[in-house]
């Protein structure tokens, strides 16, 4: 059966238009969500799945309109519960490729528990977190990723909260594919989506996304051409971590502390620079990378932080069912309702 499906996918030549629905897209003009949608539609032909085998699940928020705009199956659910419902979809039909579109408020606030347990269980889902560091749909309150001191409608004197770090949470909770990209870098965004589609296990992508109405320019230092080179470092497997307009800056590890060096200063060279290993079996360096955004002066990493393989929750779930059936036979309604633990009241 699998070979037949593979053959059909090979024969079907999809384009981006095949994944665009006929529903009018309703986001604010200039919203970064338009780019994420466009890149998802352009990347989908590379996922290797028939579009009727792809499902997008969302919660509540601007990002959660996503399933309407993808010409696949979709499910617009309730606030914060997208990861839990997507898990149910995957368990009910393991052949489906299940994606989650969510926001920093939706997934990291009310949905935080569902998110960390989906990561912990390594459910075979692809979670795309639209992070604009604000609540957009409910009109500009601070979110779990808003910076400390952020003045908003719900924090008129500046928030006293410390923000969540989505990459660190996903990595710490056990996600087996962790990546970051930006709405203003379409090719890189497409690459991350495609790579996530090929991963077996919980794939998490944080997309730095601009909310033009309530938090415009939150990531401009990372997305603008004149400032990006000095503030963004692209993680490429097997390559040294260098950045800067002249590619003359690198990251060196001093013990477990990342420091910036000049590779042309006569003291340091390219040989001193940390070489990225996305397949590192030790999560220590993934954790160090996740903290770059918390340390003033360090560039923001984008790319795949780490990926590794381990058994998935849904895979083990179905294997367990198969093993029990092989040992005890298929269950029936009568066996369930009239076993030794029932009694009759006369």
């Amino acid at each position: 059966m699998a070979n037949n499906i593979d053959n059909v996918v090979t024969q079907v030549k999809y384009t981006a238009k095949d994944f665009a629905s006929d529903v009018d897209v309703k986001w604010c003009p200039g919203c970064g969500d338009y780019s994420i949608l466009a890149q998802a539609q352009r990347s989908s032909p590379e996922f290797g799945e028939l579009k009727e085998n792809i499902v997008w699940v969302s919660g509540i928020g601007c990002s959660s309109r996503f399933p309407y705009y993808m010409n696949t199956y979709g499910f617009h659910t309730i606030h914060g519960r997208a990861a839990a419902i997507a898990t149910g979809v995957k368990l009910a039909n393991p052949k489906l490729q299940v994606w989650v579109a969510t926001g920093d408020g939706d997934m990291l606030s009310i949905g935080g528990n569902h998110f960390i347990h989906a990561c912990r269980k390594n459910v075979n889902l692809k979670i795309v977190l639209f992070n604009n560091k604000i609540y957009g749909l409910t009109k500009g309150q601070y979110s779990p990723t808003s910076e400390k001191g952020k003045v908003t409608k719900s924090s008129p004197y500046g928030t006293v909260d410390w923000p969540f770090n989505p990459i660190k949470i996903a990595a710490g909770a056990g996600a087996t594919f962790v990546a970051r990209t930006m709405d203003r870098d379409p090719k890189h965004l497409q690459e991350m989506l495609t790579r996530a589609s090929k991963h077996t296990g919980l794939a998490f992508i944080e997309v730095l996304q601009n909310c033009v109405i309530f938090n415009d320019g939150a990531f401009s230092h990372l997305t603008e051409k004149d400032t990006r080179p000095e503030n963004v470092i692209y993680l490429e497997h097997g390559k040294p971590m260098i950045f800067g307009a002249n590619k003359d800056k690198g990251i060196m590890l001093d013990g477990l502390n990342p420091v910036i060096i000049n590779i042309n200063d006569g003291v340091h060279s390219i040989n001193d620079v940390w070489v990225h290993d996305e397949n590192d079996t030790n999560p220590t360096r993934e954790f160090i990378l996740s903290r770059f955004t918390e340390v003033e002066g360090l560039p923001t990493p984008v790319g795949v932080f780490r990926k590794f393989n381990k058994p998935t929750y849904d895979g083990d779930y179905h294997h367990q069912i198969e093993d029990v059936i092989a040992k005890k036979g298929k269950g029936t309604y009568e066996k369930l309702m009239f076993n030794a633990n029932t009694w009759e009241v006369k």
Side-chain angles (χ1 to χ4, degrees):
M1 184 66 178
N3 289 334
N4 290 336
I5 293 175
D6 291 340
N7 290 336
V8 172
V9 173
T10 302
Q11 293 170 10
V12 176
K13 300 298 182 182
Y14 289 126
T15 67
K17 290 182 179 180
D18 292 313
F19 290 91
S21 76
D22 58 1
V23 177
D24 290 338
V25 181
K26 295 180 180 179
W27 285 314
C28 301
C31 177
D33 289 0
Y34 284 99
S35 175
I36 302 174
L37 174 63
Q39 308 329 315
Q41 292 169 343
R42 290 167 182 162
S43 302
S44 292
E46 304 301 321
F47 292 173
E49 289 285 351
L50 293 170
K51 64 180 182 179
E52 54 264 35
N53 287 339
I54 298 175
V55 182
W56 280 90
V57 180
S58 66
I60 294 295
C62 296
S63 62
S64 295
R65 296 171 180 162
F66 208 84
Y68 297 108
Y69 309 142
M70 292 294 296
N71 189 22
T72 63
Y73 282 105
F75 198 171
H76 188 179
T77 70
I78 53 180
H79 201 190
R81 290 356 184 218
I85 293 171
T87 297
V89 172
K90 186 64 179 178
L91 291 177
N93 189 344
K95 294 186 295 183
L96 299 177
Q97 185 178 103
V98 184
W99 290 77
V100 174
T102 185
D104 48 299
D106 183 51
M107 185 64 78
L108 298 180
S109 186
I110 190 173
N113 226 29
H114 296 300
F115 173 52
I116 62 173
H117 289 294
C119 293
R120 173 181 67 85
K121 295 175 180 180
N122 194 36
V123 186
N124 191 8
L125 306 175
K126 295 65 169 86
I127 297 178
V128 184
L129 178 79
F130 299 39
N131 183 10
N132 54 25
K133 300 170 72 173
I134 203 76
Y135 276 101
L137 186 66
T138 51
K139 307 300 185 284
Q141 300 86 352
Y142 76 90
S143 84
T145 58
S146 297
E147 63 273 21
K148 193 172 188 287
K150 181 73 171 178
V151 175
T152 72
K153 294 178 179 180
S154 56
S155 55
Y157 303 107
T159 173
V160 296
D161 288 5
W162 293 102
F164 259 151
N165 180 331
I167 294 291
K168 190 161 66 173
I169 294 171
T176 52
F177 179 101
V178 177
R180 177 189 286 134
T181 185
M182 301 179 287
D183 59 357
R184 294 281 298 277
D185 195 341
K187 289 185 178 180
H188 190 265
L189 176 50
Q190 289 175 40
E191 179 189 354
M192 293 301 104
L193 291 170
T194 302
R195 292 196 61 186
S197 76
K198 308 298 183 184
H199 181 74
T200 301
L202 197 292
F204 172 76
I205 304 174
E206 177 190 21
V207 185
L208 304 183
Q209 176 260 343
N210 191 49
C211 176
V212 70
I213 302 299
F214 296 109
N215 204 19
D216 192 24
F219 302 109
S220 60
H221 63 298
L222 306 177
T223 58
E224 296 301 318
K225 290 183 179 180
D226 57 339
T227 54
R228 181 190 297 180
E230 299 295 330
N231 292 293
V232 174
I233 188 164
Y234 283 88
L235 304 176
E236 298 180 84
H237 178 62
K239 294 186 179 181
M241 297 185 198
I242 59 174
F243 68 105
N246 300 314
K247 296 294 184 183
D248 56 352
K249 296 178 182 178
I251 301 295
M252 182 180 75
L253 280 181
D254 181 10
L256 295 178
N257 296 314
V259 295
I260 297 175
I261 60 173
N262 186 322
I263 61 177
N264 296 327
D265 63 3
V267 177
H268 301 98
S269 72
I270 192 70
N271 296 323
D272 298 314
V273 178
W274 177 1
V275 175
H276 181 51
D277 180 6
E278 64 184 31
N279 301 317
D280 198 339
T281 57
N282 189 328
T284 301
R285 294 192 178 192
E286 178 186 25
F287 183 78
I288 295 171
L289 279 171
S290 75
R291 291 195 64 250
F292 273 35
T293 53
E294 301 172 6
V295 180
E296 186 176 356
L298 290 179
T300 295
V302 298
V304 177
F305 285 65
R306 182 170 176 246
K307 65 178 182 66
F308 62 100
N309 296 312
K310 71 176 183 181
T312 64
Y313 175 81
D314 44 296
D316 284 350
Y317 171 86
H318 286 286
H319 289 321
Q320 185 180 69
I321 291 175
E322 292 168 359
D323 290 343
V324 173
I325 290 175
K327 293 176 182 177
K328 297 187 175 183
K330 286 187 176 182
T332 65
Y333 177 79
E334 287 74 16
K335 288 179 181 178
L336 175 66
M337 297 305 295
F338 300 102
N339 61 25
N341 295 321
T342 64
W343 61 92
E344 182 179 354
V345 178
K346 295 184 179 180

